[in-house]
Amino acid sequence: MKIPLAWLEQECGGPVDRAALLDHLHESGARAGLHADHVVEVLPPPELAHLGSVRGLAAEVRARNAAGPTAPQRSAPPGPASPRSAPLPGGLALTAEDGLPARVAAAVVRLPGEVRLPGAAADRLRAAGVPLTGTVADLAAYVGIETGQPLGAADAGGLDVTGLRLHSAGPADPAGPAGPADPAGPPRGGLLLRAGEKRTVAVLGRDTPAEPVPADGRDTLVWAWWLDPAAAHPAPGTGPGPDPDGPPAVRGHDPRSCDRAVARLVALVTDWAGGTVTAAGGAGADAPAPRVLRPDPGELRRLVDPDLDLATLAALLTAGGALVAPPEQGRPLHVTVPAARPDLDGVPALAGEAARVRGYPTLPRRLPPSAAGPWPDRARLLRRGLTTAALRRGLQQVTTPVLLRSGEPLGAVGTPPVAEPVTVHGRAGLRAMRVRGSLLPGLLVVAGRALRRAGAAHVFEVGQVARSAALGDESWRFAAVLAGAVAPPSLVEPRPRTAGFADLNGLLRTAAAAAGHEAFELTPEPHAEFAAGASFTVRVRGTAVGRAGILSEETAALADAAGERVCCAELDLDLLGGPAPVPPTVRVPEPLPPPAFNVTVVVPEAVSAGEVLRVVARAGGTEDRRVAVKDLLQGGQVPTGHLSLTVRAEFLRTDDGPLRDERRRRREAVLRALADRGWSGR
């Protein structure tokens, strides 16, 4: 893999010595070389696969150099340029409302002329489909791709940069960045970056392209924004947030990610465009305080390597980005985890980070669990589990219409008595329609048809039901209908056995197991659609989650099932909860064995096997621990008083040529060394 040294230095947080980097890679067994002094090509062995990535190689460099915790973190977006860049000046007056779950960083820059990107950077933008404009927009687009942060730019000549402020949009802010007629105006409760009282600079939550600012020496305002993930995707009707139809609004892992993006843009303005920076600043949410963990060093060593000493373990955690106090024997470690690493939340996660920095062979077979997730959606797991359970019991899944006619005789079945029907206001063909308040009406229509044609109806549906006319106010439901024959006639029962409440109860038990509960509680309570004595409320730990029972004769007649025993049940999945999520596991592939060669040597019995192994290791150019005796023969064709040893020697590659040539060269060197000692080898 070819890795730009600029990326590597940015990830390491400082300059990287080229010669030392190549020496470290060669010592690790990787093949590496420099191209045009700005790109390193690394071909790692299978057991050190992490050296083939930018972040894995940076972790190796930090571990060897004992880098401090100020280096950029793996889970955070790339930060500013190396410490060789000048610090950002202050002086930009930027304010924000109290308690906003967002942050904005901005700077005022001046470019002397047209921006000309280096060839590699220009090629990267073209590959991403970004047109080159020769303005600061090119630099903003490049940093946006590099860091994942949305950036914007505007001509600062028409802006009041002394009055930049971040606030929530209200009724008095109907206009978008382009003016009152802008259709992309902010939603109610959205977040705005404004200059003065009349000009909206940006709407947070939309990746608005940077304006093509003329490169004529005028001041240009550049900015980047960050939104809290919880505020970026709120529940329906719960408050502010970006446009739900827009792109994802979550960028970075902490509020300071936008400051790092602006710092990176400022560095490129000075390095690539020869520009200057007049002022910079930020406002809004700040980075949370770091967390302090006190893991047991013995448990960490057990998970990583029992032979590790405390100093090495602390160095590995420090290279991974944590701040570790000097360890003391017999006492817990004092580990300070930055806010940008929410994944480091316990002993297993710290052990996995130490193993990752140490090297690929030490990674555990399974990824360490995390208390922060993310896990699969519990609601989706519940729907999938109920669907699978119903299909295995022989029920047929159907999908019924969402709209019912207002005069539908079954329209009110299963709907709570106090629920207000949701009517449809539209063209003439839809004016007599309303949204279903339950899954049972559609299922009963399907069951009535199945009874008339096949004599049996075993159907279920998993779908959404509107609770009110508010947008998004819906709940997921599971409903099932059992009627007609469930078993064929036999000698004991000359007539087919029809479905009874016991069959429905068995289905409910299966559904309870799929939802992670032992069983449902059936409490006798009257419901309008069920017969007296066969009407129940389904509860879980005292909370009502649905209804079950046998249709009354009047309701069964409306469903064209007069005289039939129709068993029904409907569950509200939002009240039911869901099964406990299972953390996903990943199996690390087995590393490929290193190359090796075999030699057979005949020595006198007085010669020790250890001496033979040392001769093979020295002559073969490998380590003593990689050489072992695989076979031992005595007697037979072996001369009296001698032993025949078959030795296998593994080695790490150092040549760029074919493997067979290197293997033959090493083996021939070993045979010559054996001959010099007077031993017979082949």
Side-chain angles (χ1 to χ4, degrees):
M1 175 181 177
K2 293 183 179 180
I3 300 175
L5 288 171
W7 294 7
L8 184 61
E9 290 180 344
Q10 178 178 312
E11 189 71 20
C12 292
V16 175
D17 189 305
R18 271 72 164 165
L21 174 64
L22 294 180
D23 291 342
H24 292 166
L25 291 173
H26 292 156
E27 291 174 5
S28 301
R31 297 164 58 186
L34 286 178
H35 292 265
D37 197 41
H38 67 276
V39 173
V40 59
E41 184 173 7
V42 185
L43 296 177
E47 64 271 16
L48 298 173
H50 69 287
L51 296 180
S53 67
V54 177
R55 289 169 180 164
L57 185 57
E60 184 77 12
V61 172
R62 291 198 300 266
R64 287 186 178 262
N65 297 337
T70 57
Q73 306 303 320
R74 177 185 61 175
S75 62
S82 66
R84 296 174 295 178
S85 302
L88 288 177
L92 187 63
L94 204 157
T95 59
E97 290 182 6
D98 295 336
L100 284 184
R103 182 176 179 83
V104 168
V108 179
V109 300
R110 175 172 292 183
L111 282 74
E114 183 180 0
V115 176
R116 295 186 179 275
L117 300 184
D123 293 341
R124 189 174 182 183
L125 288 184
R126 294 190 188 98
V130 178
L132 299 180
T133 63
T135 67
V136 73
D138 298 345
L139 300 177
Y142 181 82
V143 176
I145 294 176
E146 188 180 52
T147 65
Q149 284 290 137
L151 291 100
D155 187 355
L159 300 177
D160 180 11
V161 295
T162 62
L164 291 175
R165 60 191 181 94
L166 177 65
H167 72 107
S168 301
D173 299 301
D182 186 2
R188 181 75 176 272
L191 300 178
L192 303 178
L193 174 63
R194 305 206 65 179
E197 296 295 334
K198 298 182 179 180
R199 177 68 184 274
T200 298
V201 181
V203 179
L204 274 65
R206 292 197 179 98
D207 292 346
T208 306
E211 299 180 14
V213 180
D216 58 357
R218 292 188 299 180
D219 288 340
T220 302
L221 176 69
V222 294
W223 69 85
W225 54 265
W226 175 90
L227 279 180
D228 184 20
H233 300 285
T238 57
D243 184 1
D245 298 327
V250 181
R251 298 292 193 277
H253 293 267
D254 66 284
R256 290 290 178 176
S257 59
C258 60
D259 296 68
R260 293 191 288 268
V262 170
R264 176 62 172 161
L265 178 60
V266 167
L268 297 186
V269 166
T270 56
D271 295 344
W272 289 358
T276 58
V277 185
T278 59
D286 208 343
R291 293 171 289 112
V292 176
L293 303 178
R294 298 181 181 273
D296 181 12
E299 183 69 11
L300 281 176
R301 286 204 300 260
R302 184 186 68 81
L303 293 174
V304 181
D305 187 349
D307 297 331
L308 277 180
D309 56 89
L310 282 179
T312 304
L313 182 62
L316 291 174
L317 293 176
T318 301
L323 179 61
V324 184
E328 299 181 13
Q329 196 68 34
R331 301 189 65 180
L333 290 176
H334 190 280
V335 182
T336 303
V337 181
R341 293 300 303 272
D343 55 311
L344 299 182
D345 55 1
V347 172
L350 290 174
E353 184 70 7
R356 180 193 66 79
V357 175
R358 192 182 183 211
Y360 180 80
T362 63
L363 287 177
R365 293 300 177 191
R366 294 185 181 274
L367 292 180
S370 172
W375 311 126
D377 184 10
R378 295 187 64 181
R380 184 176 299 179
L381 288 177
L382 174 61
R383 296 194 296 269
R384 185 186 306 169
L386 291 176
T387 300
T388 302
L391 291 174
R392 287 180 176 176
R393 288 193 66 91
L395 276 70
Q396 183 177 4
Q397 185 176 12
V398 299
T399 301
T400 59
V402 175
L403 297 180
L404 304 175
R405 296 193 177 278
S406 300
E408 175 69 37
L410 293 172
V413 173
T415 304
V418 296
E420 191 73 21
V422 180
T423 58
V424 178
H425 302 280
R427 56 189 180 87
L430 296 178
R431 288 178 181 171
M433 307 293 285
R434 66 180 182 181
V435 182
R436 65 184 179 185
S438 169
L439 298 180
L440 287 180
L443 275 182
L444 291 176
V445 172
V446 174
R449 295 173 181 172
L451 283 172
R452 292 195 305 271
R453 298 183 180 181
H458 309 146
V459 293
F460 78 97
E461 182 178 5
V462 177
Q464 291 174 285
V465 171
R467 286 189 288 246
S468 68
L471 181 62
D473 188 14
E474 299 176 332
S475 65
W476 282 89
R477 301 286 183 88
F478 170 84
V481 174
L482 300 178
V486 296
S490 63
L491 293 177
V492 179
E493 294 288 344
R495 300 183 61 183
R497 187 179 72 82
T498 58
F501 190 79
D503 300 289
L504 183 64
N505 191 29
L507 175 62
L508 291 176
R509 287 182 175 273
T510 305
H517 304 289
E518 292 186 1
F520 291 139
E521 306 165 8
L522 298 181
T523 305
E525 289 186 9
H527 295 281
E529 62 272 10
F530 294 148
S535 177
F536 301 89
T537 296
V538 183
R539 300 180 183 274
V540 173
R541 293 187 292 273
T543 302
V545 298
R547 60 176 64 83
I550 300 177
L551 287 185
S552 63
E553 295 182 0
E554 297 80 4
T555 309
L558 294 176
D560 291 338
E564 297 284 351
R565 185 167 49 193
V566 182
C567 304
C568 308
E570 185 174 21
L571 305 176
D572 190 332
L573 304 189
D574 293 346
L575 302 176
L576 188 57
V582 179
T585 57
V586 177
R587 185 174 182 84
V588 179
E590 295 287 344
L592 295 176
F597 61 89
N598 297 327
V599 293
T600 301
V601 56
V602 179
V603 298
E605 292 182 350
V607 179
S608 67
E611 184 178 358
V612 175
L613 295 179
R614 283 192 294 271
V615 172
V616 173
R618 300 297 182 273
T622 185
E623 303 174 2
D624 293 346
R625 63 184 180 88
R626 297 183 180 276
V627 183
V629 176
K630 294 300 182 183
D631 198 5
L632 173 65
L633 292 179
Q634 187 176 16
Q637 298 181 357
V638 180
T640 304
H642 289 71
L643 296 174
S644 176
L645 302 175
T646 299
V647 179
R648 177 180 175 84
E650 298 177 346
F651 60 91
L652 297 177
R653 299 205 61 191
T654 58
D655 294 350
D656 294 336
L659 176 61
R660 60 178 181 275
D661 295 343
E662 185 177 1
R663 184 185 287 114
R664 182 175 63 253
R665 178 179 58 78
R666 292 175 182 268
R667 190 173 184 277
E668 291 175 353
V670 170
L671 293 178
R672 288 194 298 270
L674 295 176
D676 294 342
R677 300 293 295 267
W679 299 337
S680 174
R682 58 182 177 85

